[in-house]
Amino acid sequence: MAMNLRESLKEFWRLNVSKVGLIFLSMLILASIYVVASYPLDFGVRYWNNPSYWADYPKSAPPAWVNLISSEKAPEHYVLTYTKPSNITLTGTERKLSYIFEIDFQADRPPSFISFTILDITYHERPSTVKLSVLRPDMKNIEVYSFIVSGPYLGEEPPYRRYYDQPKRISITGDMLTATALSRFLYREYNVTLRPSEVNSIGQHKILFSIPVRDREFKVLKGQYIFTIDVYTYNPNDEVGEVTLVIGGEVYGVMGTDSLGRDLFIGLLFGFPVALFIGIVTSTITTLLGAGLGIVGGYLGGRVDEVIQRIADFINNIPLLPFLIFLAFILGQNIWILVFLLVVFGWPTLTIIVRSMVLQLKSGQFIEAAISIGAPRWWIMFKHIFPQVAPFIFAQLIFFTPTFILLEAALSFLGLGDPTLPTWGQILEYGFRSGGIYVGLWWWIIPPGILIIWTAITFVLIALGMEPVVNPRLRKIK
Amino acid sequence: MALLEIVGLKLFYKSLRGIVRAVDNISFQLDYGEALGIVGESGCGKTSLANAIMKTLPSNIDKYEGKILIEGVNIVELTEEEVRRKIRWKMISMVFQGAMNVLNPVIRVGLQIAEPLIIHAGMNKDEAYSIAREKMKLVGLHEELFNRYPHELSGGMKQRIVIAMALVMNPKIIILDEPTSALDVSIQAQIMNLLKRLKKELNLSMIFITHDIALASDISDRIAVMYAGQIVEIGLAEQILLSPKHPYTQKLLKATPRLRGEEKPDFIPGTPPDLVNPPSGCRFHPRCPYVMEICREREPLDFELERNWRTKCWLYGGEHG
Amino acid sequence: MGLARTLIFRATTLALVLILVVFFMVIILGATGTSDKILQAMVNEEVMMLRQALAKTIKDPEELNRVLAIRKQELMEFYGLTKPWYIRLPDMAWRVITLDLGKARTLKTFAGGNKVSEIIMERLPNTIILVTSATAISALVGLIVGVRIATRVGGLLDRISSYFSAVSYAIPTWWIGIILILVFSFFLRLFPFGGLYSTPPPTDPFLRFLDMLWHAVLPVTTLVIALVGVWIYTTRTIVLNTAQEDFVNAARAKGFPEELIRRRYIIRVAAPPIITNVILGLATSISGAILTETVFSWPGIGRLFYDAVLVMDEVVVIALTYIFTLVYVVARFILEVLYVILDPRVRY
């Protein structure tokens, strides 16, 4: 007994599960709309899979709010950028542009790395010189690093522009010049002897932010740090674009970072529209194909039905995941191939069920009536049979969606996902492969799973809400 | 002493809509070797009556009271365990409606006939099997069917198996609940003949429940007409058939098509009564052509027309009889 | 008899499926050029080894190259690379079916050999241990709980089970495995991170066995979580439906004790459809095995599949796809035999 649309909606709305399901669904859709509007289409290739983009992010960092609940304060992540110098000092033809960064460091542990970046520097005569020095809370000053911008090339004409499509990034961490400077600093100020190579292995960033307590032990020095980046220019028309200082933290952002430093919040957000897309598109195609074949086979019978049945049977006899793995491996890791494969393996189950429904309907009297009027076969199938099975098919569509989302996640987890389109499964894949579980990177491992479950449950709830609409026996008698 | 005496039997159970008064104050007697036909429309409570007598009660019981005296023993008061061990299948057994599905599909039929003997009488397999084969012969089945599965038998054969099963412990009473409604007319005739033969040979008492009054008349000595959970008329078969007194009985008979004669079958207007909210007073009053004021207000008493012929109708008693 | 005919028919159908699957695989491999790629790589590798061997004896570089060129041509003809792929089809298919699976490109057996069939046979028992224990536990729990709640519809256990079944449909169980490792191995340090034995494994056989059990706890738990939801739900539905059948009421009317009714009239009759559901859940067990073994580094054929994909060892991937299909088909057949034995109605 089919109900009209209004009755169906009312029946659906009666249950709590439906309401919760719809609320969840709207949240998922909102998140997806936000992502589609604000992320570039090639996000995967250009940003997510591009390690250099994440160079200045802390690696394997828990979310920043962890500091609120832990006893030891982990260092935060500072990214400070200036487009204009804090002050300019003139000495003859030399113009010193000073960029002054003040950091109040109160963490219980030193930063994880230090780097700075110069974007777009132009000189006309003499190449500029760049120096970085630090004034520590113990009022000791160190010149940490200096370099000269590269000179003119053969045949190059002024103005000489550098570092505008590739910013110049200097990492203090791992730099031997800085190590040497620090080694001398330690000997001079604290009478501690450490070779530059030893400074390098302990970490320049660590030593810069600490006081030695014994020969090789350091305690964090809290307080105000003033980093000054001086750019010496020799022509009034010389220009500097942006100067950025990065004091690497151990915590970052809302959801932390992975081992490449990628902001997981950004990555996870991107997963929303992808998951919805995969789930709904695959489900829709599979349902239409499966139901279509079921109706055609069931109604037309004969050879057509036989062929469809045999193919469906054959596919059902193949173990799903091993074959998906095999085909994805051979045919390539592409989202459309994946959708195609999922559809190929998904339609038989639905076809078999719809076919038996159609067989039952076929013997109904209204079909006999239609035939005797002379209606063509496709008319009968479309106008008479389809509306009867439509509610069931629609419910199946909803019910299939989480299956496909989970299958895609499983395939991604095994490394067969589409690398240009980051998904939650892929984030988990990388977390697993890089050993994240074994070192307890819970912020990397737990959220993607929760999001997968949340999305899947949304559709399960809606499907549960639709059951009474589809299955009249379950409706409550008023 | 009568073999079976039922006094004021009530069986109500709970449902989503309210309390269903399936068996509402029923009384009758059954003698040795006697067949009583219980006739009524579907939904009048016939099967519930059978369950009440066998004490196979559903879990949503609201009320079960009255007296069911089998050779003087009131089984209503016995515990489930006692009924199971001493009464069920030994004293009184049942031939079910729809032999299609009352046999266990994965067990051979011969074993199913023998089961009660093994379980209740503690017989060993061989003894039980040989008695089972005897019973199969008794109901006219070939011994070689012993090892068949139910799905390998025809409807008529299955019904005979069910009858053999009911007789296996030589009970005194068998209740037959629509034993032929799922069968073709020709098979129906065969089964009825078998039952008549068994009744005579074994001096069996039967309670024959059906909606088909013609069928009941074939085998019953007495007939009770049931409506809305009550017996509205009970008497000898000829009495009921030839001169029915209760308006419902009359209508029931008129609704049967006759082979000869030009009378067209009548139908009973209205719908069967709701057992949750039965009509006030006499339950048949909304459909009764002779309805009077008092019928709407007060439930009629059992008025005796002759010895062993009663009817529950104000036309025959009170100030109006 | 009816039994034998049914089974033979089923066996032939399944064998046919297997052969068709192999042909299908081989066609895909040929048409996408993968088989060409693999064989070419094998030829090149042999030529390279030959070059190293001959360089010691043949000093003249031109002569060396000439000899190698001849040998290469011979090899290419031997492997059939000179002909189009569809000519090679039947031979390849035959070899796969008869389990002549060749040598792995990069993966190795535990001892260092590279025969694919050895690599697989070493690991197959581990998968069987994992899957059968998980299935047995799920089945047991499923049956007990399913029967229990079927007789007590609407009770607390019933509702908990329904929620659990609904929710477990939405949970990726391999993720549960990861969480279990995070909680029980990393944070609580109660169980190992993975693998079959500790390194080094204990020498005493009994201790070795216990070590394996200890390693098996988390993977088996994960697989059970994957399977048990469905088991409980389908058992409950089937038992519930069976318990409402007429013959069950009839058995009660016959005065049979409740225990007998449960055994012979409910469970025994419900067994065939329950087995059907096991068959349907078989594919889930296989994919569950692959994912769980991967998460826990359990050295079975599931984990092998993951490793082969990771290092792009096509030979092993192809072999394993076939093996999985074979295992699936055989398991189905065994279960169908069981079904036919239990349900007389399906025999011809």
Side-chain angles (χ1 to χ4, degrees), chain C residues 75-201:
Chain C
L75 278 173
M76 284 182 64
E77 277 182 29
F78 174 71
Y79 282 117
L81 276 169
T82 45
K83 294 181 236 145
W85 58 269
Y86 37 85
I87 309 278
R88 292 199 296 267
L89 256 185
D91 191 45
M92 278 187 75
W94 180 248
R95 271 194 276 135
V96 172
I97 292 178
T98 51
L99 295 177
D100 173 13
L101 298 164
K103 297 198 172 52
R105 219 151 59 81
T106 22
L107 297 175
K108 303 245 176 288
T109 63
F110 296 138
N114 63 358
K115 253 188 92 179
V116 172
S117 36
E118 276 174 23
I119 301 179
I120 293 181
M121 287 315 290
E122 271 183 342
R123 292 169 163 78
L124 187 57
N126 296 333
T127 303
I128 293 182
I129 294 176
L130 185 66
V131 175
T132 29
S133 9
T135 309
I137 297 180
S138 307
L140 208 62
V141 172
L143 270 173
I144 295 178
V145 175
V147 170
R148 200 112 206 283
I149 61 184
T151 45
R152 259 171 248 239
V153 181
L156 184 65
L157 193 58
D158 189 10
R159 273 175 296 150
I160 296 180
S161 309
S162 320
Y163 289 138
F164 177 71
S165 298
V167 166
S168 71
Y169 183 71
I171 298 187
T173 35
W174 42 273
W175 184 74
I176 297 285
I178 297 182
I179 299 294
L180 286 179
I181 296 183
L182 199 62
V183 171
F184 289 99
S185 306
F186 180 75
F187 283 117
L188 296 179
R189 292 179 214 279
L190 281 176
F191 290 101
F193 283 98
L196 187 60
Y197 295 110
S198 317
T199 32

Side-chain angles (χ1 to χ4, degrees), chain C residues 38 58 60 71 105 109 118-119 122 165 266 289 292 330:
Chain C
I38 300 174
I58 304 180
D60 179 16
R71 186 75 189 120
R105 219 151 59 81
T109 63
E118 276 174 23
I119 301 179
E122 271 183 342
S165 298
I266 299 184
T292 308
V330 167

Side-chain angles (χ1 to χ4, degrees), chain B residues 40-205:
Chain B
E41 297 167 290
S42 1
C44 71
K46 313 193 294 283
T47 307
S48 299
L49 177 60
N51 284 333
I53 299 177
M54 292 278 293
K55 210 172 173 187
T56 51
L57 308 171
S59 49
N60 52 342
I61 280 287
D62 181 68
K63 192 186 284 211
Y64 177 66
E65 57 187 41
K67 292 206 189 107
I68 302 177
L69 298 156
I70 302 184
E71 286 186 338
V73 177
N74 184 2
I75 67 171
V76 171
E77 289 172 353
L78 293 182
T79 65
E80 173 64 23
E81 192 54 30
E82 289 173 316
V83 173
R84 194 177 68 72
R85 272 187 303 115
K86 294 193 278 194
I87 306 293
R88 275 206 207 113
W89 234 249
K90 282 184 166 162
M91 299 289 292
I92 173 168
S93 71
M94 198 152 143
V95 171
F96 302 93
Q97 188 180 55
M100 298 304 116
N101 213 17
V102 294
L103 294 171
N104 187 327
V106 299
I107 299 185
R108 300 180 204 269
V109 295
L111 174 57
Q112 294 192 48
I113 300 178
E115 256 184 324
L117 291 170
I118 301 176
I119 293 171
H120 287 300
M123 280 189 202
N124 68 35
K125 277 214 313 229
D126 298 310
E127 271 186 84
Y129 283 7
S130 72
I131 295 189
R133 280 184 230 266
E134 265 180 52
K135 300 296 180 203
M136 282 178 73
K137 272 206 293 221
L138 187 61
V139 299
L141 284 175
H142 205 292
E143 253 194 68
E144 70 160 16
L145 297 178
F146 190 84
N147 276 324
R148 294 271 179 94
Y149 287 100
H151 68 279
E152 293 173 303
L153 301 175
S154 74
M157 288 188 209
K158 279 195 280 198
Q159 192 61 302
R160 290 176 198 258
I161 296 281
V162 173
I163 295 175
M165 211 160 64
L167 296 173
V168 79
M169 292 182 79
N170 304 315
K172 300 237 172 46
I173 308 174
I174 57 170
I175 306 180
L176 301 105
D177 189 356
E178 305 272 14
T180 58
S181 53
L183 304 172
D184 292 336
V185 185
S186 52
I187 311 289
Q188 198 174 55
Q190 286 177 20
I191 300 290
M192 291 307 291
N193 285 335
L194 168 64
L195 289 171
K196 284 187 279 194
R197 176 166 66 80
L198 290 172
K199 170 169 176 272
K200 215 163 47 163
E201 281 180 20
L202 306 173
N203 200 30
L204 259 183
S205 302

Side-chain angles (χ1 to χ4, degrees), chain B residues 248-315:
Chain B
Y248 177 61
T249 320
Q250 296 169 354
K251 287 243 168 241
L252 215 52
L253 283 163
K254 288 228 201 83
T256 313
R258 303 283 144 136
L259 195 53
R260 287 169 250 275
E262 295 184 1
E263 262 185 71
K264 282 203 285 246
D266 217 349
F267 68 93
I268 311 178
T271 48
D274 182 5
L275 290 177
V276 175
N277 284 318
S280 57
C282 168
R283 295 188 182 180
F284 188 60
H285 86 252
R287 304 162 86 183
C288 181
Y290 308 114
V291 58
M292 307 181 285
E293 238 353 272
I294 189 173
C295 306
R296 286 187 246 267
E297 290 161 20
R298 284 170 54 200
E299 193 176 301
L301 308 165
D302 271 310
F303 297 116
E304 202 164 297
L305 302 156
E306 274 176 39
R307 224 179 80 82
N308 288 332
W309 191 3
R310 307 192 316 262
T311 181
K312 236 179 158 84
C313 178
W314 286 119
L315 287 171

Side-chain angles (χ1 to χ4, degrees), chain C residues 202-231:
Chain C
T203 39
D204 178 77
F206 182 64
L207 287 180
R208 230 174 119 91
F209 177 67
L210 284 182
D211 187 38
M212 185 186 83
L213 276 186
W214 183 51
H215 278 82
V217 170
L218 288 184
V220 169
T221 308
T222 308
L223 250 191
V224 167
I225 294 181
L227 302 173
V228 88
V230 176
W231 267 98

Side-chain angles (χ1 to χ4, degrees), chain A residues 184-196:
Chain A
R184 284 199 208 116
F185 169 79
L186 286 172
Y187 183 69
R188 192 177 67 230
E189 304 285 347
Y190 291 99
N191 212 6
V192 164
T193 315
L194 253 134
R195 290 198 300 274

